[in-house]
């Protein structure tokens, strides 16, 4: 909603150009405290405005006024600076400003497009100060900006879609009507969501620093070399069996419910038992842990949870321990490739490991909790013939 891209005419397409303050005042306003039932709006003179029917049927100008009001709240003011003016305010050249804006994840703006605010200039200036004062390379700073912008782009989309789905379900609205109501009412959540974001970022960074400190404290002298994958991790995948065939016979609501149930269950089980979600990929989730015993507990519990209850879904899984490299919030390496291939060799409800992981788990203090057995050789794509091992909780 605030991605101010420029179209071929040079106009900033992320916001309306002709919305005045009085237009915004007449627009339907947010419900106090968040997503309450749609309420009547009031115009500048205090006359009761449209309720739900009026919101859904409101004219384009009023809807843009609502969006502009939210944007003004988020950005602090209407965008009024060109790229060159933003660069001048920040004390950098236009090339640096353009690199900053691209790293933030936004489309290029033409020279005469006023897509920027003083907050943008201040953020650019802060990055420049960080570059001069920290000794970080420009490429590293751009990588940090990309990390934040990529995460925020996904985050705000996730949040808005969740709010739209909530409105649609509670009021029985079609998608368009639900989005109009969500646009009307999202302003009541902006400040709270912003405060929560700061808290969550700090909490997760603190947890990561603690894990990193604990890990390096336990390391001995390591091998060195350009091809060494530096991190030892236990990880794997859990995916829904025959997802494509099942999805083809489902309606939108049923498919959405299944994906939501899968992802929410996976995140709850994985995080509550001390591991972390690396990513979800539609019908699959990838988990990771520094500890093999934690990872084994997670994957067996997750398979059991997903396949229990009236809404059970058949899944299969893998567990592999080995070295990886971490980049862009993801992990890579032969260990990940092996885990990806092994999951496809499992039968519904099955968990597959490689031999070294199976033997390590057999030698662990948790060995008595599991049945670990060697399986028949299989041909895995890209890996040739491999010998999987099965895992199940006793």
């Amino acid at each position: 909603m605030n991605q101010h891209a420029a179209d071929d005419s040079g106009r900033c397409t992320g916001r309306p150009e002709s919305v005045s303050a009085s237009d915004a005042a007449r627009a339907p306003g947010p419900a106090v405290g968040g997503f309450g039932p749609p309420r009547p709006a009031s115009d500048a003179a205090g006359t009761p405005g449209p309720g739900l029917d009026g919101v859904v049927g409101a004219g384009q100008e009023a809807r843009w006024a609502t969006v502009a009001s939210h944007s003004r709240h988020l950005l602090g003011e209407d965008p009024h600076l060109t790229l060159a003016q933003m660069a001048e305010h920040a004390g950098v050249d236009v090339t640096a400003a353009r690199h900053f804006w691209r790293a933030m994840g936004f489309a290029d703006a033409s020279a005469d497009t006023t897509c920027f605010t003083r907050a943008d200039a201040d953020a650019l200036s802060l990055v420049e100060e960080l570059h001069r004062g920290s000794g970080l390379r420009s490429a590293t700073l751009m990588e940090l900006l990309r990390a934040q912008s990529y995460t925020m782009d996904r985050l705000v989309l996730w949040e808005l879609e969740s709010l739209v789905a909530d409105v649609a379900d509670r009021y029985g609205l079609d998608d368009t009507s639900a989005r109009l109501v969500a646009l009307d009412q999202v302003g009541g959540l902006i400040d709270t969501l912003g405060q929560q974001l700061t808290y969550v970022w700090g909490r997760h960074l603190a947890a990561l620093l603690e894990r990193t400190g604990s890990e390096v404290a336990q390391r001995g002298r390591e091998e060195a070399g350009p091809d060494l994958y530096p991190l030892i991790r236990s990880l794997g995948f859990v995916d829904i069996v025959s997802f494509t065939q099942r999805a083809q016979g489902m309606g939108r609501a049923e498919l959405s419910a299944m994906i939501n149930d899968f992802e929410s269950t996976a995140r709850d089980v994985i995080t509550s038992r001390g591991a972390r979600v690396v990513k979800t990929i539609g019908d699959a989730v990838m988990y990771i842990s520094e500890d093999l015993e934690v990872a084994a507990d997670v994957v067996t519990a997750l398979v059991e949870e997903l396949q229990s209850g009236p809404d059970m879904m058949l899944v299969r899984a893998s567990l592999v321990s080995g070295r990886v490299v971490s980049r862009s919030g993801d992990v890579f390496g032969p260990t990940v490739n092996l885990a990806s291939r092994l999951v496809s060799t499992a039968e519904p409800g099955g968990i597959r490991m490689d031999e070294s992981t199976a033997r390590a788990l057999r030698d662990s203090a948790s060995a008595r909790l599991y049945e670990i057995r060697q399986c028949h050789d299989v041909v895995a794509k890209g890996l040739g013939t491999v010998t999987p091992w099965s895992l199940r909780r006793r």
Side-chain angles (χ1 to χ4, degrees), residues 51-71:
L52 177 58
D53 293 337
V55 172
V56 174
Q60 182 71 14
E61 183 175 315
R63 291 197 292 271
W64 272 123
T66 300
V67 173
S69 177
H70 295 331
S71 295

Side-chain angles (χ1 to χ4, degrees), residues 129-144:
E129 290 176 12
L130 186 61
H131 176 49
R132 292 195 301 264
S134 68
L136 291 174
R137 298 177 302 163
S138 296
T140 302
L141 284 172
M142 291 300 101
E143 188 67 16
L144 292 175

Side-chain angles (χ1 to χ4, degrees), residues 65-371:
T66 300
V67 173
S69 177
H70 295 331
S71 295
R72 192 176 300 113
H73 185 183
L74 288 162
L75 303 179
E77 61 184 353
D78 288 325
H80 61 282
L81 301 175
T82 64
L83 181 69
Q85 290 169 336
M86 177 180 70
E88 182 180 0
H89 277 71
V92 302
D93 59 38
V94 172
T95 299
R98 184 175 292 110
H99 288 164
F100 163 80
W101 195 240
R102 288 180 178 177
M104 289 284 289
F106 299 118
D108 288 345
S110 59
D112 59 347
T113 305
T114 54
C115 285
F116 309 100
T117 68
R118 285 173 293 183
D120 296 317
D122 290 342
L124 175 55
S125 178
L126 186 63
V127 170
E128 182 63 19
E129 290 176 12
L130 186 61
H131 176 49
R132 292 195 301 264
S134 68
L136 291 174
R137 298 177 302 163
S138 296
T140 302
L141 284 172
M142 291 300 101
E143 188 67 16
L144 292 175
L145 284 177
R146 291 188 187 99
Q148 290 181 327
S149 62
Y150 173 77
T151 303
M152 292 304 102
D153 179 59
R154 289 178 60 86
L155 175 64
V156 295
L157 176 61
W158 188 344
E159 290 178 334
L160 182 61
E161 293 297 337
S162 296
L163 298 175
V164 169
D166 178 74
V167 168
D169 290 344
R170 286 195 289 132
Y171 303 125
L173 300 178
D174 61 84
D175 184 75
T176 299
S177 300
R179 289 180 187 278
L180 289 170
V181 175
L183 286 175
D184 176 46
Q185 296 191 347
V186 70
L189 296 176
I190 287 174
D191 291 340
T192 302
L193 289 176
Q195 294 168 7
Q196 179 70 8
L197 177 61
T198 300
Y199 159 73
V200 171
W201 179 84
R203 207 67 175 86
H204 276 283
L205 181 57
L208 175 59
L209 297 178
E210 290 172 5
R211 292 197 306 269
T212 302
S214 176
E215 180 179 13
V216 297
Q218 297 174 23
R219 288 182 180 177
R221 186 177 181 84
E222 291 187 284
E223 300 176 35
D227 296 326
L228 177 68
Y229 290 88
L231 305 175
I232 299 176
R233 296 289 186 266
S234 296
L235 56 89
F237 295 85
V238 179
D239 71 19
I240 303 172
V241 175
S242 302
F243 173 78
T244 302
Q245 293 88 330
R246 292 186 64 182
Q248 287 177 341
M250 292 181 172
R252 184 190 69 177
E254 188 180 5
L255 177 60
S256 297
M258 182 178 71
I259 293 297
N260 183 68
D261 182 49
F262 173 71
E263 291 189 354
S264 60
T265 299
R267 291 180 186 279
D268 285 348
V269 172
I270 291 169
T271 57
S272 65
R273 291 173 179 266
R276 298 182 306 286
V277 175
V278 177
K279 56 188 173 184
T280 56
I281 319 165
D283 61 334
V285 61
M286 181 181 178
Y287 66 93
I288 193 168
S289 175
E290 289 86 0
D291 186 276
L292 174 57
E293 294 178 68
V294 169
D297 176 50
V298 163
V299 70
T300 52
L302 183 52
V303 169
E304 179 180 348
E305 179 70 19
L306 289 169
Q307 297 193 150
S308 64
D311 299 324
M312 68 165 290
M313 61 185 76
L314 292 176
V315 296
R316 55 189 179 181
S318 63
L319 171 61
V320 177
S321 186
R323 287 186 174 271
V324 299
V325 61
S326 178
R327 289 292 183 274
S328 303
D330 205 342
V331 290
F332 305 90
T335 299
V336 180
N337 298 336
L338 179 57
S340 177
R341 296 293 180 257
L342 282 177
V343 71
S344 63
T345 71
E347 77 282 359
I351 303 170
R352 293 293 180 264
M353 303 180 291
D354 65 311
E355 181 176 357
S356 63
T357 302
R359 294 191 182 281
L361 190 56
R362 271 185 168 180
D363 294 337
S364 72
S366 300
R368 58 184 177 78
L369 301 176
Y370 305 105
E371 291 181 6

